[in-house]
Amino acid sequence: LNHILSRAFSVQLERVEATEGELWHPSVQKCILRDFADGAKGDPLGVIYLDLFGRPNKFPAFAMFTIRCSRKIPGFLQQWREARAEEERRGLVGSKGSPHGECDRLLFEKEVDEESSIDQLPVIAMVGSLEASGSAATRGGIKAMAARAVGGLFGGNSNGKKDPTKAKAGKGSPSSPIQKGGRNEVGDIASLEFSNDVRLSHNQVETIFHEFGHVLHAVFSKTKYQAVSGTRAAVDYVEIPSTLMEKFAYDYRVVQLFAKRADTKMTIPKKIFDEFRASLALTAGLDAELQAIYSLLDLELHSDKVEKYAMEGQGKSGASHWTAKVMRNIESEHSSFPPVPGTHWPSRFGHLATYGGGYYSYMWCKLYALQIWSTLFAEDPLNNEAGTKLRRQLLEKGGAQDPRVLLHDLLGDDISFDYKKVIQQLKEV
């Protein structure tokens, strides 16, 4: 990711030491996204917590959570003094540190006065459910060796040198895991060096890139109000940055920078990668069909027909009866395969609750992400001019402007809002 970030966006992800009590689990890593665009000298753009490994009772999927939005803070010094005084009153300052003490320190790297309006530093958490592999996995949790995957993917120095921001060792060490309940639960992640030996499937890489697209949207945002900061945007638009980032994982010019055999360090041959991409075309139609079925079910269950369905389902096993009926009707009409009796896949369709009628945006946003990629990045995916344009004209705007205006400003007359015309371009994917 740092290859993309530094070359296309002029930013760098840097691992930093967390204050005592700041992290909610030893496997979480804290990073700062630093800006080097337009003469900037590593100015902090945001704090990003990487919590990428699964563990018992943890949120089971990949997601991005905004802990604190970016926004303009007028009269910053007075507000900071009041917040600091409240933290001191509550005993949050001192040996355990302030929850946002590091952010406050970073803000003061810039000179401010009593009348200054300053950008609030966003704080983001990116979570995942990666599993440790090989000898690094135990039933008790993730050992230190497995956790090196996080550093290798997100922050490993390309020159192979030790990372200068590596945190000091805590209570444990890679050879002496932290003890909990009489078992080795997790190694001391803070004591590790970054490693480039990362073993992930392509699907996992694509998912990480997708979520980091949301992270960039949140961190790059420069809106006046936090209500329209970053991903707080129209659902028809909010998946464009994330879907666009996925495209980098399918471009060999990017993939060859990090996809290497663990034993020989040999870069994945272009022929093999091209064959892999070609194989995806075999099921591309079925994948699109499945996404359409998901979207149709989501729209139907959040339509004004729900009350009618619920009334019909009274006395017939409640919601599970009528939702299954709706599901079967949609599958019968739109699926290439008949419904399977006794199954009820909507029970694992988590987006029904979190997107509430907006799941279609994944397919919808894919159309616009494709146009952005084709116009700005297809010729050179690491083109800094293209990355800067995307950052300034789209990502920094958050949800503060009409998406159609933002897309037109970004691509000019090259943008098309005719979905039938754009769908034809999907054949090129």
Side-chain angles (χ1 to χ4, degrees), residues 326-355:
V326 173
M327 175 192 71
R328 288 193 296 271
N329 290 342
I330 291 175
E331 284 186 296
S332 297
E333 183 176 357
H334 299 284
S335 177
S336 299
F337 305 96
V340 179
T343 62
H344 194 268
W345 54 260
S347 61
R348 59 174 174 79
F349 184 23
H351 285 77
L352 280 176
T354 55
Y355 264 57

Short mmCIF file of all heavy atoms in Angstrom, two decimals, residues 326-355:
data_model
loop_
_atom_site.label_atom_id
_atom_site.label_comp_id
_atom_site.label_asym_id
_atom_site.label_seq_id
_atom_site.Cartn_x
_atom_site.Cartn_y
_atom_site.Cartn_z
N VAL A 326 -40.08 -13.86 -0.07
CA VAL A 326 -39.56 -12.77 -0.91
C VAL A 326 -38.28 -13.21 -1.59
O VAL A 326 -38.07 -12.99 -2.79
CB VAL A 326 -39.32 -11.50 -0.06
CG1 VAL A 326 -38.63 -10.42 -0.90
CG2 VAL A 326 -40.63 -10.97 0.49
N MET A 327 -37.40 -13.86 -0.82
CA MET A 327 -36.13 -14.33 -1.36
C MET A 327 -36.36 -15.32 -2.51
O MET A 327 -35.74 -15.22 -3.58
CB MET A 327 -35.33 -15.01 -0.25
CG MET A 327 -34.04 -15.68 -0.70
SD MET A 327 -33.36 -16.75 0.60
CE MET A 327 -34.54 -18.11 0.56
N ARG A 328 -37.26 -16.28 -2.31
CA ARG A 328 -37.52 -17.28 -3.35
C ARG A 328 -38.11 -16.64 -4.61
O ARG A 328 -37.79 -17.04 -5.73
CB ARG A 328 -38.45 -18.36 -2.80
CG ARG A 328 -37.78 -19.30 -1.81
CD ARG A 328 -38.64 -20.52 -1.56
NE ARG A 328 -39.93 -20.17 -0.94
CZ ARG A 328 -40.11 -20.09 0.36
NH1 ARG A 328 -39.10 -20.34 1.19
NH2 ARG A 328 -41.29 -19.77 0.86
N ASN A 329 -38.98 -15.66 -4.43
CA ASN A 329 -39.58 -14.99 -5.58
C ASN A 329 -38.51 -14.28 -6.43
O ASN A 329 -38.53 -14.35 -7.66
CB ASN A 329 -40.63 -13.97 -5.13
CG ASN A 329 -41.87 -14.64 -4.56
OD1 ASN A 329 -42.11 -15.83 -4.81
ND2 ASN A 329 -42.66 -13.89 -3.81
N ILE A 330 -37.58 -13.61 -5.74
CA ILE A 330 -36.52 -12.89 -6.47
C ILE A 330 -35.59 -13.88 -7.15
O ILE A 330 -35.21 -13.70 -8.31
CB ILE A 330 -35.73 -11.99 -5.48
CG1 ILE A 330 -36.62 -10.83 -5.02
CG2 ILE A 330 -34.46 -11.44 -6.15
CD1 ILE A 330 -35.98 -9.96 -3.96
N GLU A 331 -35.22 -14.94 -6.46
CA GLU A 331 -34.33 -15.94 -7.06
C GLU A 331 -34.99 -16.61 -8.26
O GLU A 331 -34.34 -16.85 -9.29
CB GLU A 331 -33.96 -17.00 -6.02
CG GLU A 331 -32.92 -16.54 -5.02
CD GLU A 331 -32.48 -17.67 -4.11
OE1 GLU A 331 -33.33 -18.18 -3.35
OE2 GLU A 331 -31.30 -18.05 -4.16
N SER A 332 -36.27 -16.92 -8.15
CA SER A 332 -36.98 -17.59 -9.24
C SER A 332 -37.00 -16.73 -10.49
O SER A 332 -36.93 -17.24 -11.61
CB SER A 332 -38.41 -17.94 -8.80
OG SER A 332 -38.41 -18.85 -7.72
N GLU A 333 -37.10 -15.42 -10.30
CA GLU A 333 -37.21 -14.52 -11.44
C GLU A 333 -35.86 -14.11 -12.01
O GLU A 333 -35.72 -13.92 -13.23
CB GLU A 333 -37.99 -13.27 -11.04
CG GLU A 333 -38.22 -12.29 -12.18
CD GLU A 333 -39.08 -11.10 -11.78
OE1 GLU A 333 -39.56 -11.07 -10.62
OE2 GLU A 333 -39.26 -10.20 -12.63
N HIS A 334 -34.83 -13.99 -11.17
CA HIS A 334 -33.59 -13.38 -11.62
C HIS A 334 -32.36 -14.28 -11.56
O HIS A 334 -31.31 -13.92 -12.12
CB HIS A 334 -33.30 -12.12 -10.79
CG HIS A 334 -34.37 -11.07 -10.92
ND1 HIS A 334 -34.49 -10.26 -12.02
CD2 HIS A 334 -35.37 -10.72 -10.05
CE1 HIS A 334 -35.51 -9.43 -11.84
NE2 HIS A 334 -36.06 -9.69 -10.66
N SER A 335 -32.44 -15.43 -10.90
CA SER A 335 -31.27 -16.28 -10.76
C SER A 335 -31.20 -17.32 -11.88
O SER A 335 -32.23 -17.79 -12.38
CB SER A 335 -31.28 -16.99 -9.41
OG SER A 335 -30.18 -17.87 -9.29
N SER A 336 -29.99 -17.69 -12.25
CA SER A 336 -29.78 -18.74 -13.24
C SER A 336 -30.02 -20.12 -12.64
O SER A 336 -30.10 -21.11 -13.38
CB SER A 336 -28.34 -18.68 -13.78
OG SER A 336 -28.09 -17.45 -14.42
N PHE A 337 -30.14 -20.17 -11.31
CA PHE A 337 -30.35 -21.45 -10.63
C PHE A 337 -31.60 -21.35 -9.75
O PHE A 337 -31.87 -20.29 -9.17
CB PHE A 337 -29.14 -21.79 -9.76
CG PHE A 337 -27.84 -21.80 -10.51
CD1 PHE A 337 -27.01 -20.70 -10.52
CD2 PHE A 337 -27.47 -22.92 -11.23
CE1 PHE A 337 -25.82 -20.70 -11.22
CE2 PHE A 337 -26.27 -22.94 -11.94
CZ PHE A 337 -25.45 -21.83 -11.94
N PRO A 338 -32.36 -22.40 -9.64
CA PRO A 338 -33.57 -22.37 -8.81
C PRO A 338 -33.21 -22.27 -7.33
O PRO A 338 -32.12 -22.69 -6.92
CB PRO A 338 -34.25 -23.70 -9.13
CG PRO A 338 -33.13 -24.61 -9.55
CD PRO A 338 -32.17 -23.72 -10.28
N PRO A 339 -34.12 -21.74 -6.51
CA PRO A 339 -33.87 -21.66 -5.07
C PRO A 339 -33.66 -23.05 -4.48
O PRO A 339 -34.25 -24.03 -4.92
CB PRO A 339 -35.16 -21.03 -4.52
CG PRO A 339 -35.79 -20.35 -5.69
CD PRO A 339 -35.42 -21.16 -6.89
N VAL A 340 -32.77 -23.14 -3.50
CA VAL A 340 -32.49 -24.41 -2.84
C VAL A 340 -33.40 -24.55 -1.62
O VAL A 340 -33.35 -23.71 -0.71
CB VAL A 340 -31.01 -24.49 -2.39
CG1 VAL A 340 -30.74 -25.82 -1.69
CG2 VAL A 340 -30.08 -24.31 -3.59
N PRO A 341 -34.26 -25.55 -1.60
CA PRO A 341 -35.18 -25.72 -0.46
C PRO A 341 -34.44 -25.85 0.86
O PRO A 341 -33.37 -26.46 0.93
CB PRO A 341 -35.93 -27.03 -0.81
CG PRO A 341 -35.79 -27.17 -2.29
CD PRO A 341 -34.45 -26.60 -2.62
N GLY A 342 -35.01 -25.26 1.90
CA GLY A 342 -34.44 -25.39 3.23
C GLY A 342 -33.31 -24.44 3.54
O GLY A 342 -32.71 -24.52 4.61
N THR A 343 -32.99 -23.56 2.60
CA THR A 343 -31.91 -22.59 2.84
C THR A 343 -32.49 -21.20 3.08
O THR A 343 -33.61 -20.90 2.65
CB THR A 343 -30.94 -22.53 1.66
OG1 THR A 343 -31.65 -22.10 0.48
CG2 THR A 343 -30.33 -23.89 1.40
N HIS A 344 -31.72 -20.37 3.75
CA HIS A 344 -32.18 -18.99 4.04
C HIS A 344 -30.95 -18.10 4.16
O HIS A 344 -30.57 -17.65 5.24
CB HIS A 344 -32.99 -18.97 5.34
CG HIS A 344 -33.77 -17.70 5.52
ND1 HIS A 344 -33.28 -16.60 6.19
CD2 HIS A 344 -35.00 -17.36 5.09
CE1 HIS A 344 -34.18 -15.63 6.19
NE2 HIS A 344 -35.24 -16.07 5.53
N TRP A 345 -30.28 -17.85 3.01
CA TRP A 345 -29.03 -17.10 3.04
C TRP A 345 -29.15 -15.65 3.52
O TRP A 345 -28.15 -15.09 3.96
CB TRP A 345 -28.35 -17.15 1.66
CG TRP A 345 -29.16 -16.72 0.49
CD1 TRP A 345 -29.80 -17.54 -0.40
CD2 TRP A 345 -29.43 -15.39 0.05
NE1 TRP A 345 -30.46 -16.81 -1.36
CE2 TRP A 345 -30.24 -15.47 -1.10
CE3 TRP A 345 -29.07 -14.13 0.52
CZ2 TRP A 345 -30.70 -14.35 -1.79
CZ3 TRP A 345 -29.53 -13.00 -0.16
CH2 TRP A 345 -30.33 -13.13 -1.29
N PRO A 346 -30.36 -15.02 3.47
CA PRO A 346 -30.41 -13.65 4.02
C PRO A 346 -30.04 -13.56 5.50
O PRO A 346 -29.68 -12.48 5.98
CB PRO A 346 -31.89 -13.26 3.81
CG PRO A 346 -32.31 -14.04 2.61
CD PRO A 346 -31.62 -15.36 2.77
N SER A 347 -30.09 -14.69 6.20
CA SER A 347 -29.72 -14.65 7.63
C SER A 347 -28.24 -14.34 7.84
O SER A 347 -27.83 -13.96 8.93
CB SER A 347 -30.06 -15.99 8.30
OG SER A 347 -29.33 -17.04 7.70
N ARG A 348 -27.42 -14.50 6.80
CA ARG A 348 -26.00 -14.15 6.90
C ARG A 348 -25.66 -12.94 6.03
O ARG A 348 -24.50 -12.64 5.82
CB ARG A 348 -25.12 -15.33 6.49
CG ARG A 348 -25.37 -15.83 5.08
CD ARG A 348 -24.37 -16.92 4.68
NE ARG A 348 -24.67 -17.50 3.38
CZ ARG A 348 -24.37 -16.92 2.21
NH1 ARG A 348 -23.78 -15.75 2.19
NH2 ARG A 348 -24.69 -17.51 1.07
N PHE A 349 -26.66 -12.25 5.56
CA PHE A 349 -26.47 -11.09 4.70
C PHE A 349 -26.47 -9.84 5.58
O PHE A 349 -27.47 -9.16 5.75
CB PHE A 349 -27.58 -11.03 3.65
CG PHE A 349 -27.45 -9.93 2.62
CD1 PHE A 349 -26.22 -9.35 2.33
CD2 PHE A 349 -28.57 -9.49 1.94
CE1 PHE A 349 -26.11 -8.35 1.39
CE2 PHE A 349 -28.47 -8.48 0.98
CZ PHE A 349 -27.25 -7.91 0.72
N GLY A 350 -25.31 -9.56 6.18
CA GLY A 350 -25.21 -8.50 7.17
C GLY A 350 -25.54 -7.11 6.66
O GLY A 350 -25.98 -6.24 7.41
N HIS A 351 -25.33 -6.87 5.36
CA HIS A 351 -25.59 -5.55 4.81
C HIS A 351 -27.07 -5.17 4.83
O HIS A 351 -27.41 -4.00 4.63
CB HIS A 351 -25.05 -5.45 3.38
CG HIS A 351 -23.56 -5.32 3.32
ND1 HIS A 351 -22.72 -6.39 3.50
CD2 HIS A 351 -22.76 -4.24 3.09
CE1 HIS A 351 -21.47 -5.99 3.40
NE2 HIS A 351 -21.46 -4.70 3.14
N LEU A 352 -27.94 -6.15 5.04
CA LEU A 352 -29.37 -5.83 5.15
C LEU A 352 -29.61 -4.85 6.30
O LEU A 352 -30.48 -3.97 6.21
CB LEU A 352 -30.19 -7.10 5.39
CG LEU A 352 -30.50 -7.97 4.18
CD1 LEU A 352 -31.23 -9.23 4.61
CD2 LEU A 352 -31.33 -7.19 3.17
N ALA A 353 -28.82 -5.01 7.36
CA ALA A 353 -29.00 -4.14 8.52
C ALA A 353 -28.18 -2.87 8.40
O ALA A 353 -28.64 -1.78 8.76
CB ALA A 353 -28.62 -4.89 9.80
N THR A 354 -26.97 -2.98 7.88
CA THR A 354 -26.07 -1.82 7.89
C THR A 354 -26.30 -0.86 6.73
O THR A 354 -26.01 0.33 6.86
CB THR A 354 -24.61 -2.30 7.87
OG1 THR A 354 -24.41 -3.15 6.74
CG2 THR A 354 -24.28 -3.07 9.14
N TYR A 355 -26.80 -1.36 5.60
CA TYR A 355 -26.99 -0.47 4.46
C TYR A 355 -28.44 -0.07 4.24
O TYR A 355 -28.72 0.93 3.61
CB TYR A 355 -26.41 -1.11 3.18
CG TYR A 355 -25.01 -0.63 2.90
CD1 TYR A 355 -24.00 -0.80 3.84
CD2 TYR A 355 -24.69 0.03 1.73
CE1 TYR A 355 -22.72 -0.35 3.61
CE2 TYR A 355 -23.41 0.49 1.48
CZ TYR A 355 -22.42 0.29 2.42
OH TYR A 355 -21.16 0.75 2.19
#
